[in-house]
Amino acid sequence: MKDYLNYGGAVCVVTGAASGIGKATAEILVDLGAKVYTIDVQDCPVPGIKLHIPTDLSDKASIDRAFTQVPDRIDKFFGIAGMFHSPDIVAVFTVNFIANKYMTEEYVIPRLTEGEYGAVAFLASVGGSRWAQHTDEYKELVEAGTWEEMVAATKARAEKSPGSRGGYELSKRAINYYMKLRAPSLAAKGNRMNTVAPHYTETPMLQSIIDMTTKAGREMNYDSKGAFERLGKPEDAAKAIVFLNSDMATYISGHILYEEGAMQAMIETGKMPVVMDGKTW
């Protein structure tokens, strides 16, 4: 039987592989026969990976050191690592966006296999929806050139509008915008770039979101389970991101794949109102 996903022997780099969606992604890739290199500040418990590289994605020097241990040829990059629960917009935006852009531009694209086999996928979020309506909030941050310039622009933005949830949404909208900007230019090498946008998923991050919101005295319907009557599981999002970087998706690029169990369809048709801060929308 033909291997339509075609991950056998593929050099894959996965960030955020210590837990949650990143861990589930690494496990699937190992099962598919890929050569998996994982990057995370914590240890990676996935058996069968080629190498785990302890890395602080908030630190440029740590990223630089990590990529001295990554092969000169990369077939697939999975930018999954992220954070939510910090009250520091700069910290959230650095890990969720700046690190992804820096790794991609500095190390991934120059090493990416030419042709449709070479692919990049980032983990976005439904929290990054309506990105096109809010470009004025993050465009300057995304289009800044160097790591230092991006950090400086983010600090200036944070002084105007502090708040942890804003930092998370800002970063996820920014990664969608960056993907939309970069995907067409990658066509010169025949490469692809996409994002996956999950809804609430049963990961350690979800509990952090609940704890933070409760502490702030806010209410949100985190128990909404949508049409499938369940929350998302890490493997649900992992399957989606593995699909996008596979040979099953060789003509898909510049796309945001919403992985949310028909929740958006229910919201748009009035079947599931969203409650936040005591308001329904």
Side-chain angles (χ1 to χ4, degrees):
M1 183 174 70
K2 184 175 180 178
D3 178 8
Y4 287 96
L5 294 173
N6 197 21
Y7 273 105
V11 175
C12 299
V13 178
V14 182
T15 73
S19 63
I21 296 168
K23 177 176 177 286
T25 298
E27 290 171 340
I28 292 172
L29 293 172
V30 168
D31 286 345
L32 291 173
K35 299 176 181 177
V36 182
Y37 293 78
T38 58
I39 289 175
D40 200 300
V41 70
Q42 301 179 30
D43 290 338
C44 177
V46 179
I49 61 173
K50 294 290 291 185
L51 179 67
H52 174 65
I53 309 168
T55 309
D56 179 358
L57 292 180
S58 69
D59 181 1
K60 176 177 174 288
S62 183
I63 293 172
D64 291 337
R65 289 192 296 270
F67 275 87
T68 65
Q69 302 179 67
V70 173
D72 291 336
R73 192 201 85 230
I74 297 172
D75 297 311
K76 322 281 188 180
F77 179 75
F78 299 81
I80 298 176
M83 63 182 295
F84 185 103
H85 57 278
S86 170
D88 184 348
I89 282 181
V90 177
V92 174
F93 197 81
T94 299
V95 171
N96 292 3
F97 177 77
I98 294 175
N100 272 316
K101 181 185 175 184
Y102 178 74
M103 288 185 288
T104 302
E105 297 293 333
E106 189 74 17
Y107 296 109
V108 177
I109 290 176
R111 304 184 190 190
L112 203 58
T113 301
E114 292 197 2
E116 296 158 6
Y117 193 66
V120 176
F122 302 110
L123 189 72
S125 167
V126 294
S129 300
R130 299 179 297 280
W131 63 271
Q133 288 76 42
H134 295 273
T135 54
D136 60 314
E137 295 180 0
Y138 56 77
K139 184 177 180 180
E140 183 179 354
L141 282 58
V142 173
E143 296 179 357
T146 66
W147 175 285
E148 291 75 17
E149 288 169 345
M150 287 189 284
V151 170
T154 305
K155 287 180 178 178
R157 167 66 171 76
E159 290 174 359
K160 296 178 182 178
S161 180
S164 60
R165 183 168 179 81
Y168 181 79
E169 291 178 345
L170 192 76
S171 68
K172 295 304 183 178
R173 287 172 177 164
I175 200 66
N176 283 331
Y177 178 67
Y178 170 69
M179 179 274 291
K180 294 285 186 179
L181 286 176
R182 205 63 176 91
S185 62
L186 279 181
K189 293 180 65 175
N191 296 149
R192 302 180 295 107
M193 180 181 285
N194 297 285
T195 61
V196 170
H199 207 285
Y200 300 127
T201 304
E202 293 177 340
T203 67
M205 182 181 286
L206 178 60
Q207 189 58 52
S208 296
I209 296 170
I210 296 172
D211 293 343
M212 187 195 72
T213 306
T214 302
K215 184 177 180 180
R218 292 159 50 191
E219 178 185 356
M220 191 168 181
N221 59 336
Y222 294 112
D223 59 343
S224 296
K225 298 179 175 61
F228 288 95
E229 292 298 321
R230 67 173 177 85
L231 293 173
K233 298 181 183 299
E235 54 266 32
D236 294 325
K239 290 172 186 175
I241 203 166
V242 167
F243 161 74
L244 280 179
N245 270 359
S246 78
D247 272 13
M248 290 285 281
T250 50
Y251 206 55
I252 300 176
S253 192
H255 181 68
I256 303 170
L257 176 58
Y258 287 93
E259 182 270 318
E260 33 75 292
M263 284 187 177
Q264 193 63 31
M266 295 177 72
I267 292 170
E268 290 171 354
T269 57
K271 302 295 184 182
M272 187 185 77
V274 175
V275 179
M276 183 173 180
D277 295 339
K279 299 178 182 179
T280 301
W281 57 277

